[in-house]
């Protein structure tokens, strides 16, 4: 008998016996917490993101302050037009190539949910957030987040998200470190993350 036949025989025997019953995973971990917008701001700031707390009527003015006049930005197709200031040129991503996205001065997106406890903003590819590449290539990412999209803990965020959508979890600007723990920014995404929190 060859080694192959021996291995296949053991697999057949294991499958024929039905195997052990599935293990029940305990789900009694903490699933919530107290929502604290200040904690989200503190965490994002700690990660070197810039947070702007403004009313919704001030979104366009805030974005105008963040982006230089005459900047070219990429926007997903479902971004509310009222968020864009007249001082920028917006390119709608209706299939832009990577060169066009990379050449832009920044990107403006919405968000799906944010976690106050971890300072994480999650994008799920919805029409106001667009393709994942938009959050990776431009040097500056301006993400508009409504207060009602903020939850206290990760389990609450997972309950709002679909596992069938492309999820991008962002905790501050792009950063990594080498073996000597030297921080290096702008390796896997934008160096500048601005979160416009609508309060």
């Amino acid at each position: 008998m060859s080694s192959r036949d021996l291995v296949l025989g053991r697999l057949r025997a294991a499958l024929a016996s039905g195997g052990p019953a599935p293990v029940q995973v305990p789900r009694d971990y903490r699933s919530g917490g107290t929502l604290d917008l200040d904690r989200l701001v503190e965490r994002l700031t700690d990660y070197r993101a810039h947070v702007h707390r403004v009313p919704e009527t001030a979104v366009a003015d805030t974005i105008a302050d963040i982006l230089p006049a005459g900047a070219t930005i990429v926007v997903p197709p479902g971004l509310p037009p009222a968020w864009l200031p007249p001082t920028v040129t917006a390119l709608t991503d209706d299939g832009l190539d990577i060169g066009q996205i990379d050449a832009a001065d920044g990107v403006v997106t919405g968000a799906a949910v944010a976690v106050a406890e971890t300072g994480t903003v999650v994008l799920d590819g919805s029409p106001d957030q667009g393709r994942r590449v938009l959050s990776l290539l431009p040097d500056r990412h301006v993400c508009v987040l409504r207060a009602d999209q903020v939850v206290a803990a990760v389990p609450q965020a997972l309950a709002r998200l679909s596992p069938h959508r492309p999820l991008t979890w962002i905790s501050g600007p792009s950063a990594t470190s080498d073996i000597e723990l030297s921080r290096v920014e702008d390796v896997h995404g934008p160096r500048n993350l601005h979160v416009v929190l609508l309060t």
Side-chain angles (χ1 to χ4, degrees):
M1 177 182 286
S2 71
S3 298
R4 179 180 183 274
D5 293 334
L6 181 63
V7 169
L8 289 175
R10 288 181 180 169
L11 288 171
R12 286 187 191 101
L15 291 173
S17 68
V23 176
Q24 292 299 319
V25 178
R27 303 284 185 194
D28 56 353
Y29 48 79
R30 184 173 55 90
S31 61
T34 305
L35 178 59
D36 184 354
L37 290 179
D38 291 332
R39 175 172 286 191
L40 173 69
V41 172
E42 176 186 311
R43 295 284 196 260
L44 285 167
T45 304
D46 194 42
Y47 292 143
R48 299 185 188 178
H50 307 279
V51 181
H52 312 266
R53 293 176 87 159
V54 300
E56 187 158 4
T57 55
V59 173
D61 291 338
T62 304
I63 292 175
D65 291 340
I66 295 168
L67 298 166
T72 298
I73 60 168
V74 176
V75 298
L79 193 81
W83 289 358
L84 298 175
T87 56
V88 300
T89 300
L91 300 176
T92 302
D93 179 32
D94 52 4
L96 296 174
D97 65 45
I98 291 186
Q100 291 171 299
I101 297 170
D102 189 37
D105 298 306
V107 59
V108 177
T109 71
V113 69
V115 183
E117 189 172 74
T118 61
T120 304
V121 177
V122 185
L123 310 182
D124 69 358
S126 291
D128 67 337
Q129 297 152 52
R131 298 185 290 162
R132 186 170 190 269
V133 70
L134 298 185
S135 67
L136 296 176
L137 286 181
D139 185 55
R140 185 179 290 112
H141 182 182
V142 179
C143 184
V144 181
L145 176 69
R146 295 188 322 272
D148 65 357
Q149 293 176 301
V150 181
V151 297
V154 172
Q156 293 169 314
L158 290 171
R160 290 192 181 194
L161 296 167
S162 167
H164 306 291
R165 297 196 62 84
L167 302 178
T168 303
W169 296 65
I170 303 168
S171 294
S174 169
T176 189
S177 63
D178 61 19
I179 196 167
E180 295 176 356
L181 300 180
S182 299
R183 183 180 170 98
V184 179
E185 297 181 355
D186 192 29
V187 176
H188 308 294
R191 281 183 301 139
N192 301 289
L193 174 64
H194 292 261
V195 176
V196 179
L197 179 58
L198 307 184
T199 55

